[in-house]
């Protein structure tokens, strides 16, 4: 079977899933596929080795509270799993599949990789624990060899067939049931006073929350059944039924055991004897069988679950292409035998290391992180109420959110350091996957989240801009971006990833239909992303390009969010100068600021070292030009540049006062610029401009506003006066906005 391990990740409905879909008719049922692995993981070694210790520390009532509180968090997580599982077909990968299809491939991959290694290394934890108990009973054996033998044995079972492995779990379940029956009918410990309902007061007892942290992992384990999703006949039915049944069964057992223990043992014995259950069992070896069965069942559940997560990760292209073989399935049931061999290698390496106590807390955090993210997935889906989210098992989003909060609280309670380490690892994997820029053919909730935030934001924004929050929202008429890239560069620098940029092109009428326009927009958008420019793209058609620009300015935007700044290239075509200038006038009358870039083709933006602003006062264009120069200087490319604020005075008499005024203004505005006062001495401004700014990298010049006089004639004169200068930016500020207040905001 071949899978597309490229940047594009396959659809859930792709042909690659047909084989596993056909296998569903002979797949596992609810009892064998979900309930059995889940309940066996829940009824684990903590029940046998720590339950007496829990009762001894907090008493019978305290134990009931701990069991109920811990199970409530697991139940909320199970409800979230049920909601997601009944909304869509859950294929191979279990929790990873659910998370990736909800929160996106980056989040799903980060949690999925962590979950895989947690499950793979857990095999070693369980088999080492099993070996320890065997060696304590049969002292002549070697612990490492026993652990290796058991690890390989459970892997052989998993490699043979998932169904055979599940049948083996029935034997283990039988051993656990036998141990519980023997405990139920067993005697009290002789010569003691049972604890009963009394609350113990041991001198070295643990606090309630410390005991809770030790006990909580005993109620986890529902992922063992969820991870078998690819092997189930009907995942949407089996996962909810089997998971909830396992949680309910575990709760009943955990509420009954403390009652038996407290009525048959005293506090001192409960605190000092880890295998206190053995002392009160009708047949004591049954408890050992239960302990061994619990560890073996957990190891078997992990060796079944981990390769299926690995298979799903590989099929979705999370790993590099050379690792694509991990996604292959074998046999009629599409079993991940290659993934099982890899997982066995990881487990054997961990067994050989032997001491996994350092990483065990982090592995627990990985499992709880999976629970946390599953709860968040269901909570977000329920909150957004997307039409596509229609689970047959409905859960209010608040319950899922409470489950997520509970998981995070327990993580911090159990081990804050391990929580931070696990979180850092998950974040590192997330950023690694994000850098690979994987694309998927399925949707996730991220777009829904942004749409919800956008909707709320649009309705909250007032139509009248305020000076406190002004920033340039630029509409760039660039034509083909590759041919006029300097316009994109300038817009990107001025917005500084705070304002909005829309790159627009006006094409001749009939040159593109709507579908072709959309395709062109997507192509331009992808090219901009490759250049690390965040921008929207809009392509329209019109019989006249200038009319098309005006129509776009008039219609473009969403609610109060409309372009407030129009960025154009200079017009060199004298035959179309009238239409060009008329468009500028119309943009001004529409209360838009207009910026025109006249680029020096030989120099471009020069060395990014010097910005000249020709100052005419705070009113009109002056404030906007100084703002734009400040924004330009704030970027990485221009941060070493020096802003020169240039002012022309007629004679020496006013030069000193003018310079003092400029210094005082700049200090008040908190803008770093060098005031430069130039005495005209009857020289024309054109000569002063060319003499003073010839060495600049970019020049800001204000434009007169259109009036009853001929604006085309004015523009042509300005065009002639600035010929052969470095790159020049003409600025015409919107008439009805106080840019001076943007500069002076907070300076008084």
């Amino acid at each position: 079977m071949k899978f597309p391990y490229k940047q594009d990740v396959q659809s859930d409905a792709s042909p690659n899933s047909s084989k596993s879909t056909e296998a569903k008719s002979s797949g596992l049922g609810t009892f064998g596929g979900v309930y059995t692995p889940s309940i066996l993981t829940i009824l684990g070694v903590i029940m046998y080795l720590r339950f007496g210790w829990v009762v001894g520390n907090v008493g019978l009532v305290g134990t009931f509270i701990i069991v109920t509180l811990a199970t409530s968090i697991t139940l909320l997580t199970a409800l979230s799993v049920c909601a997601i599982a009944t909304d869509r077909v859950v294929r191979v990968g279990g929790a990873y599949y659910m998370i990736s299809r909800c929160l996106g491939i980056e989040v799903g991959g980060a949690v999925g990789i962590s979950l895989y290694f947690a499950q793979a290394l857990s095999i070693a934890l369980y088999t080492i624990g099993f070996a320890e108990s065997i060696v304590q009973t049969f002292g002549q054996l070697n612990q490492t060899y026993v652990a290796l033998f058991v690890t390989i044995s459970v892997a052989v079972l998993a490699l043979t067939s998932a169904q055979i492995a599940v049948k083996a779990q029935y034997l283990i379940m039988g051993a656990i049931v036998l141990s519980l029956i023997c405990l139920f009918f067993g005697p009290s410990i002789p010569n003691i006073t049972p604890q009963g309902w009394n609350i113990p007061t041991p001198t070295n007892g643990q606090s309630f929350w410390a005991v809770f942290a030790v006990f909580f992992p005993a109620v986890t384990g529902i992922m063992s059944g969820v991870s078998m999703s690819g092997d189930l006949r009907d995942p949407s039915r089996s996962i909810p039924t089997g998971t909830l049944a396992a949680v309910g069964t575990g709760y009943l057992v955990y509420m009954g055991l403390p009652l038996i223990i407290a009525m048959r043992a005293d506090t001192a014995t409960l605190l000092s004897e880890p295998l206190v259950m053995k002392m009160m069992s009708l047949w004591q070896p049954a408890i050992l069988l239960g302990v061994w069965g619990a560890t073996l069942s957990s190891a078997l559940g992990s060796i079944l679950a981990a390769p299926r997560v690995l298979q799903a990760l590989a099929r979705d292209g999370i790993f590099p292409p050379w690792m694509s073989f991990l996604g292959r399935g074998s046999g009629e049931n599409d079993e991940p035998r290659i993934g099982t061999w890899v997982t066995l290698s990881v487990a054997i390496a961990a067994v050989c290391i032997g001491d996994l106590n350092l990483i065990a807390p982090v592995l627990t955090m990985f499992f709880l992180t999976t629970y946390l993210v599953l709860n968040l997935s269901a909570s977000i889906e329920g909150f957004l109420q997307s039409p596509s989210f229609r689970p047959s098992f409905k859960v209010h989003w608040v319950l899922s959110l409470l489950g997520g909060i509970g998981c995070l609280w327990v993580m911090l309670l159990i081990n804050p350091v391990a929580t931070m380490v696990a979180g850092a690892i998950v974040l590192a994997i997330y950023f690694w996957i994000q850098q690979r820029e994987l694309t998927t053919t399925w949707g996730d909730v991220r777009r829904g989240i942004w749409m919800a935030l956008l909707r709320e934001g649009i309705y909250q924004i007032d139509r009248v801009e305020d000076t406190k929050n002004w920033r340039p929202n630029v509409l760039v008429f660039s034509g083909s971006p590759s041919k006029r890239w300097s316009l994109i560069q300038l817009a990107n620098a001025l917005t500084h990833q705070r304002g909005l940029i829309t790159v627009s092109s006006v094409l001749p009428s009939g040159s593109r239909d709507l579908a072709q326009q959309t395709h062109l927009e997507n192509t331009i958008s992808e090219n901009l992303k490759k250049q690390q420019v965040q921008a929207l793209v809009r392509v329209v058609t019109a019989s006249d390009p200038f009319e098309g620009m005006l129509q776009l300015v008039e219609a473009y935007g969403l609610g109060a969010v409309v372009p407030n700044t129009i960025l154009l290239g200079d017009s060199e075509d004298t035959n179309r100068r009238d239409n060009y200038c008329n468009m500028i006038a119309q943009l001004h009358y529409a209360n838009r600021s207009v910026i025109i870039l006249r680029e020096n083709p030989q120099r471009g933006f020069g060395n990014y070292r010097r910005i000249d602003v020709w100052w005419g006062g705070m009113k009109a264009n002056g404030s906007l030009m100084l703002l734009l120069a400040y924004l330009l200087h704030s970027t990485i490319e221009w941060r070493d540049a020096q802003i020169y604020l240039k002012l022309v005075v007629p004679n020496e008499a006013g030069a000193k006062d003018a310079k003092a005024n400029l210094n005082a203004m700049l200090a008040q505005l908190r803008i770093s610029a060098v005031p430069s006062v130039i005495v005209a001495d009857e020289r024309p401004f054109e000569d002063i401009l060319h003499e003073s700014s010839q060495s600049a990298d970019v020049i800001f010049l204000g434009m007169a506003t259109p009036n009853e006089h001929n604006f085309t004639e004015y523009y042509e004169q300005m065009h002639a006066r600035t010929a052969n200068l470095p790159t020049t930016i003409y600025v015409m500020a919107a008439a009805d906005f106080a840019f001076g207040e943007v500069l002076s905001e907070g300076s008084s």
Side-chain angles (χ1 to χ4, degrees):
M1 184 179 292
K2 296 181 179 179
F3 301 97
Y5 301 101
K6 300 179 181 179
Q7 293 296 90
D8 293 330
V9 181
Q10 69 182 39
S11 167
D12 296 339
S14 68
N16 301 314
S17 60
S18 60
K19 186 174 181 177
S20 58
T21 302
E22 293 168 0
K24 290 298 166 76
S25 60
S26 59
L28 299 172
T30 301
F31 185 79
V34 180
Y35 177 80
T36 298
S38 295
I39 192 60
L40 289 181
T41 308
I42 291 173
L43 303 180
V45 291
I46 291 179
M47 178 182 73
Y48 290 101
L49 301 180
R50 289 292 181 269
F51 223 138
W53 178 85
V54 170
V55 177
N57 273 289
V58 299
L60 185 57
V61 175
T63 303
F64 286 157
I65 295 173
I66 285 177
V67 170
T68 301
L69 186 58
T71 306
S72 297
I73 296 174
T74 301
L75 177 62
L76 291 173
T77 304
L79 293 175
S80 298
V81 169
C82 294
I84 298 174
T86 58
D87 176 63
R88 60 176 67 92
V89 176
V90 181
R91 305 191 190 278
V92 177
Y96 157 72
Y97 185 94
M98 294 178 178
I99 293 169
S100 62
R101 270 57 179 178
C102 179
L103 297 182
I105 195 167
E106 295 88 357
V107 176
V111 175
I113 292 174
S114 304
L115 177 62
Y116 166 73
F117 280 105
Q119 290 174 329
L121 294 174
S122 291
I123 301 168
L125 286 174
Y126 295 134
T127 55
I128 290 173
F130 176 83
E132 285 180 358
S133 63
I134 290 291
V135 171
Q136 289 173 4
T137 307
F138 307 100
Q140 70 274 19
L141 298 176
N142 181 283
Q143 178 179 308
T144 302
Y145 291 159
V146 173
L148 285 172
F149 174 78
V150 175
T151 301
I152 294 171
S153 297
V154 295
V156 168
L157 268 178
L159 285 166
T160 303
S161 170
Q163 295 190 5
I164 294 176
V166 168
K167 290 177 181 178
Q169 287 188 322
Y170 294 153
L171 296 176
I172 296 172
M173 181 183 288
I176 293 176
V177 171
L178 175 63
S179 69
L180 293 175
I181 292 174
C182 290
L183 179 65
F184 181 78
F185 290 105
S188 297
I189 299 175
N191 303 320
I192 58 95
T193 301
Q195 186 190 81
W197 296 90
N198 298 321
I199 299 176
T201 55
T203 55
N204 297 320
Q206 299 291 322
S207 68
F208 177 87
W209 294 116
V211 175
F212 176 88
V214 171
F215 173 77
F216 182 81
V219 299
T220 61
I222 58 175
M223 286 301 105
S224 297
V226 174
S227 296
M228 298 298 294
S229 58
D231 295 80
L232 301 174
R233 283 195 297 269
D234 186 0
S236 297
R237 177 180 174 276
S238 294
I239 290 176
T241 305
T243 302
L244 292 177
V247 172
T249 303
Y251 181 67
L252 291 176
V253 172
Y254 284 157
M255 291 297 282
L257 281 179
L259 192 60
I260 296 173
I261 294 172
M263 296 304 173
R264 296 183 185 174
D266 63 340
T267 300
T269 305
L270 292 175
L271 292 175
S272 61
E273 292 291 340
L275 275 173
V276 68
M277 289 185 183
K278 182 181 176 183
M279 301 171 65
M280 61 182 72
S281 174
L282 181 64
W283 183 48
Q284 292 189 359
I287 300 301
L288 287 177
L289 292 176
V291 173
W292 295 340
T295 52
L296 286 177
S297 66
S298 297
L300 193 53
S302 296
I303 196 67
L304 287 172
R308 284 157 175 78
V309 175
L310 185 66
Q311 184 183 48
L313 289 165
R315 288 184 172 180
D316 281 348
I318 297 293
F319 301 126
W322 64 270
M323 299 178 67
S324 61
F325 66 93
L326 295 174
R328 296 172 188 162
S330 303
E332 294 181 357
N333 295 321
D334 195 34
E335 294 183 11
R337 291 179 183 171
I338 295 177
T340 303
W341 281 112
V342 173
T343 304
L344 175 60
S345 302
V346 174
I348 288 176
V351 168
C352 292
I353 293 172
D355 186 7
L356 299 179
N357 291 333
L358 288 176
I359 65 170
V362 178
L363 301 186
T364 301
M365 295 308 113
F366 283 154
F367 285 114
L368 288 174
T369 299
T370 304
Y371 285 23
L372 168 64
V373 179
L374 277 171
N375 278 304
L376 291 180
S377 300
S379 177
I380 293 170
E381 289 272 29
F383 175 76
L384 294 177
Q385 295 183 341
S386 301
S388 62
F389 186 67
R390 303 183 305 278
S392 57
F393 192 104
K394 298 187 180 298
V395 178
H396 197 280
W397 66 270
V398 172
L399 295 177
S400 297
L401 181 61
L402 288 175
I405 294 172
C407 289
L408 180 60
W409 169 61
V410 169
M411 290 170 68
L412 294 172
L413 191 66
I414 293 175
N415 194 322
V417 175
T419 300
M420 299 304 172
V421 171
I425 293 172
V426 171
L427 281 176
I429 298 172
Y430 172 85
F431 289 122
W432 171 70
I433 296 174
Q434 190 179 51
Q435 285 183 343
R436 296 190 60 214
E437 297 182 345
L438 298 175
T439 58
T440 62
T441 55
W442 67 78
D444 54 63
V445 299
R446 287 176 293 183
R447 182 180 177 87
I449 293 172
W450 290 121
M451 284 298 295
L453 293 174
L454 177 62
R455 177 186 179 278
E456 187 64 24
I458 288 295
Y459 285 129
Q460 292 298 323
I461 294 177
D462 189 38
R463 283 193 171 274
V464 179
E465 282 193 291
D466 64 271
T467 55
K468 174 73 175 178
N469 298 290
W470 180 88
R471 58 198 60 201
N473 180 358
V474 183
L475 178 61
V476 186
F477 287 109
S478 63
S480 174
S482 60
K483 295 181 179 179
R484 309 187 81 175
W485 184 248
S486 56
L487 286 169
I488 312 295
Q489 282 183 292
L490 179 60
N492 195 41
L494 295 179
T495 56
H496 203 36
Q497 295 186 350
R498 295 297 183 270
L500 296 175
I501 303 174
T502 302
V503 175
S504 59
S505 297
V506 180
L507 304 178
S509 296
S511 60
R512 301 284 195 283
D513 57 27
L514 290 177
Q516 291 171 327
Q517 287 176 220
T518 301
H519 178 72
L520 182 57
E521 288 177 354
N522 292 335
T523 301
I524 295 174
S525 182
E526 288 299 320
N527 290 333
L528 291 173
K529 287 180 182 178
K530 291 178 181 178
Q531 298 294 329
Q532 297 183 334
V533 174
Q534 289 183 321
L536 305 173
V537 179
R538 183 52 51 101
V539 176
V540 297
T541 60
S543 56
D544 179 78
F546 302 113
E547 287 296 325
M549 292 180 188
L550 290 173
Q551 291 170 9
L552 182 58
V553 171
E554 180 181 355
Y556 184 71
L558 185 60
V561 182
V562 297
N564 58 22
T565 305
I566 313 301
L567 177 57
L568 308 165
D570 177 44
S571 172
E572 299 287 350
D573 188 353
T574 56
N575 295 326
R576 308 176 73 177
R577 188 67 57 76
D578 279 335
N579 291 336
Y580 178 80
C581 291
N582 178 65
M583 179 191 67
I584 295 174
Q586 295 301 319
L587 293 174
H588 178 73
Y589 297 145
N591 203 31
R592 305 296 204 276
S593 296
V594 180
I595 301 174
I596 300 174
L597 175 65
R598 185 180 187 184
E599 183 182 14
N600 185 310
Q602 283 75 41
R603 298 177 58 175
F605 289 113
N607 298 315
Y608 297 87
R609 293 292 182 182
R610 176 175 161 184
I611 303 170
D612 282 5
V613 179
W614 286 91
W615 185 249
M618 285 282 285
K619 295 182 179 180
N621 299 324
S623 299
L624 179 57
M625 287 194 298
L626 191 53
L627 268 175
L628 296 177
Y630 168 77
L631 291 172
L632 199 62
H633 182 264
S634 301
T635 63
I636 295 176
E637 294 86 356
W638 290 92
R639 63 184 174 187
D640 295 327
Q642 182 64 62
I643 300 174
Y644 289 88
L645 195 61
K646 295 181 175 290
L647 175 64
V648 178
V649 295
N651 50 54
E652 288 285 353
K656 186 176 181 181
D657 289 341
K659 189 168 186 177
N661 290 336
L662 288 179
N663 278 319
M665 180 195 71
L666 291 171
Q668 185 182 23
L669 299 180
R670 304 180 306 280
I671 290 181
S672 176
V674 176
S676 177
V677 178
I678 302 169
V679 178
D681 282 338
E682 298 183 352
R683 291 178 298 167
F685 177 73
E686 179 180 341
D687 293 346
I688 298 172
L689 174 63
H690 279 260
E691 180 182 338
S692 180
S693 288
Q694 195 62 49
S695 299
D697 293 307
V698 69
I699 303 168
F700 282 95
L701 281 176
M703 287 195 300
T705 57
N707 49 38
E708 296 180 356
H709 298 94
N710 192 327
F711 184 70
T712 302
E713 182 178 340
Y714 163 79
Y715 185 85
E716 288 178 338
Q717 291 174 354
M718 185 174 185
H719 198 268
R721 287 195 301 174
T722 56
N724 301 319
L725 279 175
T727 296
T728 305
I729 300 173
Y730 307 147
V731 177
M732 183 189 297
D736 296 338
F737 190 78
F739 289 102
E741 293 183 18
V742 180
L743 283 171
S744 60
E745 188 74 42
S747 61
S748 57

